Amino acid sequence: MRSSLEEADPAAAPTPAPAQAEAPASIATLQESYCKLCSEKSQNINPFILCVLQKVDEEIKKGPKEGITLSIAGLDVRYNLINDIGAHYAAKLLQKQLYLIYLNLMFNDIGPEGGELLAKALHKNTTLKYLRMTGNKIENKGGMVFAAMLQINSSLEKLDVGDCDLGMQSVVAFATVLTQNQAIKGINLNRPILYGEQEESTVHLGHMLKENHCLVELHMCKHGIKNCGFHQLCNALYLNSSLRYLDVSCNKITRDGMVYLADVLKTNATLEVIDLSFNRIENAGANYLSESLTSHNRSLKALSVVSNNIEGEGLVALSQSMKTNPTLSHIYIWGNKFDEATCVAYSDLIQKDRLKPENTDVEPFVVDGHVYLAEVSNGLKKHYYWTPTYGDAYGHSSNSGFALVPIQPKEPAIQVQQ
């Protein structure tokens, strides 16, 4: 039985929120244990947490349960100034807290020293499933320690070290470790600091994909990938049977790179989400993809070609592939060059219910008898860096990539086992 409160105010949880979920002597008195802990720590009792614990106690009284999930927003501490000193206490939390499964520390001014403390704390931790270090400048030194941690830790399933100023050495280290690690299902290596034009990181990650058959989600945004490096990745995908979500957005891939991907899609039956946003595949690249999606591939569910310098010809070709391909259900095209034929084509898909409005980032409207497309806030990962103050922060329409390939908790959670 699971109990959760979906709409939590992150600012409402007091300092001891994480500690309250440590297993008390009698799990049937969670409210009492929380009140006692607040008294000992001279903290005010938070009514939200008390309400959650009350509901959990009520569920426990009904009979034996396999486990209870407490959704406490206080474990999501992104965009603060924890820095290396705070990382010391976060590391202690990871060592002592036996029920924490998700920890979001993104953009907290944590440096290499703090990153090292957190990584070493994970050597013995066996419960954390998802750690977000996004935007903390742990640099190459911190990246190397996290890579070494993955040689020891066998419980972490998703790690996000995007925008962490990783160097080539640490990216290669992650690629090497992942040839052996069988636990990690998703990894984000976005925007490392790479020098040179040899695309060495892509070569090593391509080799990893040939050997690893557990990784489901791979993010390689802003790696400076060109067609040669993308060819290496595509060659690896012929031998990979696990990867479902590939993110190569914000790179330097052109229409020639789409020749390799289109050929992979003719035989690959695993990939479900591909993010090509902010490359330059143009009409020719869109046509290559359209041909494979029309006649061969029946596994891809979502494709993003946002801002790829595609004109009407290529965009219409992609719309035509949706008419014959029953699997492709999500497509994102904003930021390209729309002509009237494009607007009419996507308007028809939406009106005929072939393309649901929540599964694309455009919405048709008519002015003086002419059809136009407006942008709507839907996408594969719109809420990667932020979440809205109202509405469903984890809604499928804004985060369809993660919804189609779910491998992490939807929100901060502590899981309490009886």
Side-chain angles (χ1 to χ4, degrees):
M1 183 72 183
R2 297 187 182 277
S3 172
S4 65
L5 186 59
E6 294 292 335
E7 297 179 359
D9 180 7
T15 302
Q20 59 83 34
E22 291 187 24
S26 173
I27 202 165
T29 58
L30 287 172
Q31 297 174 84
E32 296 175 6
S33 299
Y34 170 62
C35 292
K36 180 180 178 181
L37 182 62
C38 285
S39 177
E40 292 174 354
K41 300 294 183 180
S42 300
Q43 294 286 337
N44 294 328
I45 294 175
N46 184 282
F48 159 66
I49 294 177
L50 198 63
C51 179
V52 173
L53 297 180
Q54 180 182 358
K55 292 181 179 180
V56 173
D57 282 337
E58 290 172 357
E59 292 294 331
I60 292 174
K61 289 178 182 178
K62 293 178 182 178
K65 308 294 188 302
E66 291 183 359
I68 300 292
T69 295
L70 305 184
S71 295
I72 304 296
L75 295 175
D76 187 339
V77 290
R78 55 189 156 177
Y79 295 101
N80 285 287
L81 291 171
I82 289 178
N83 63 49
D84 289 342
I85 297 174
H88 168 75
Y89 294 101
K92 282 190 172 182
L93 174 70
L94 289 172
Q95 291 173 327
K96 296 180 180 180
Q97 177 55 262
L98 303 179
Y99 309 104
L100 187 65
I101 61 175
Y102 174 94
L103 182 59
N104 190 340
L105 296 171
M106 66 186 296
F107 291 97
N108 261 292
D109 200 28
I110 298 173
E113 288 74 21
E116 184 174 356
L117 291 171
L118 290 165
K120 289 183 177 179
L122 289 172
H123 284 193
K124 295 182 179 180
N125 183 287
T126 59
T127 56
L128 193 72
K129 301 297 182 185
Y130 183 15
L131 174 63
R132 289 199 68 176
M133 289 292 293
T134 320
N136 292 296
K137 309 307 179 186
I138 62 174
E139 301 176 352
N140 197 63
K141 177 183 176 183
M144 291 297 293
V145 182
F146 269 97
M149 175 271 296
L150 292 182
Q151 293 181 302
I152 300 170
N153 184 291
S154 60
S155 59
L156 193 68
E157 294 181 3
K158 188 168 182 178
L159 176 63
D160 189 335
V161 286
D163 300 284
C164 286
D165 288 2
L166 302 179
M168 177 66 75
Q169 185 183 15
S170 54
V171 173
V172 172
F174 275 113
T176 303
V177 169
L178 289 175
T179 60
Q180 302 295 326
N181 184 292
Q182 302 296 305
I184 289 288
K185 301 294 187 295
I187 191 162
N188 188 314
L189 299 170
N190 286 351
R191 213 219 67 179
I193 305 299
L194 305 177
Y195 301 97
E197 300 293 326
Q198 296 182 345
E199 301 183 74
E200 186 179 349
S201 66
T202 313
V203 173
H204 285 273
L205 288 168
H207 174 72
M208 178 272 293
L209 288 175
K210 293 179 182 179
E211 303 293 330
N212 185 301
H213 298 289
C214 298
L215 192 68
V216 173
E217 180 182 321
L218 175 61
H219 296 267
M220 297 179 62
C221 176
K222 299 179 183 177
H223 270 243
I225 300 173
K226 300 176 184 176
N227 294 327
C228 181
F230 193 58
H231 193 191
Q232 296 279 348
L233 286 178
C234 289
N235 283 339
L237 291 174
Y238 287 112
L239 301 176
N240 184 280
S241 58
S242 65
L243 195 70
R244 296 167 57 197
Y245 187 161
L246 176 63
D247 177 5
V248 287
S249 58
C250 301
N251 281 293
K252 301 176 181 179
I253 304 168
T254 70
R255 58 185 183 179
D256 293 338
M258 292 305 99
V259 175
Y260 311 129
L261 181 59
D263 196 54
V264 167
L265 290 177
K266 291 178 181 178
T267 57
N268 183 284
T270 308
L271 280 171
E272 297 179 16
V273 179
I274 298 178
D275 192 348
L276 293 167
S277 304
F278 302 100
N279 283 283
R280 196 178 178 85
I281 70 171
E282 302 180 308
N283 280 346
N287 286 329
Y288 293 137
L289 292 177
S290 175
E291 193 275 328
S292 287
L293 293 171
T294 299
S295 305
H296 303 281
N297 185 276
R298 291 297 181 268
S299 65
L300 193 69
K301 296 178 181 178
L303 174 66
S304 178
V305 289
V306 170
S307 297
N308 263 276
N309 201 39
I310 307 173
E311 298 176 348
E313 176 192 342
L315 293 169
V316 170
L318 288 172
S319 74
Q320 292 297 319
S321 67
M322 293 196 72
K323 294 182 178 180
T324 58
N325 186 322
T327 309
L328 185 62
S329 57
H330 299 63
I331 189 165
Y332 305 97
I333 62 170
W334 187 258
N336 292 294
K337 300 177 180 179
F338 300 160
D339 58 10
E340 188 163 6
T342 300
C343 299
V344 170
Y346 285 89
S347 177
D348 286 346
L349 287 175
I350 294 172
Q351 289 178 0
K352 293 177 181 178
D353 204 34
R354 173 58 191 89
L355 179 60
K356 296 185 180 301
E358 62 268 23
N359 293 347
T360 186
D361 59 348
V362 294
E363 181 180 49
F365 65 98
V366 179
V367 176
D368 296 333
H370 295 280
V371 180
Y372 299 91
L373 296 177
E375 183 184 20
V376 290
S377 189
N378 296 333
L380 294 178
K381 49 181 182 358
K382 280 287 185 179
H383 297 157
Y384 173 73
Y385 286 109
W386 61 280
T387 51
T389 56
Y390 63 92
D392 186 0
Y394 305 96
H396 289 188
S397 61
S398 299
N399 307 280
S400 62
F402 301 128
L404 291 169
V405 186
I407 60 171
Q408 80 275 355
K410 286 187 177 180
E411 57 183 15
I414 290 179
Q415 189 171 56
V416 180
Q417 300 290 343
Q418 291 197 86

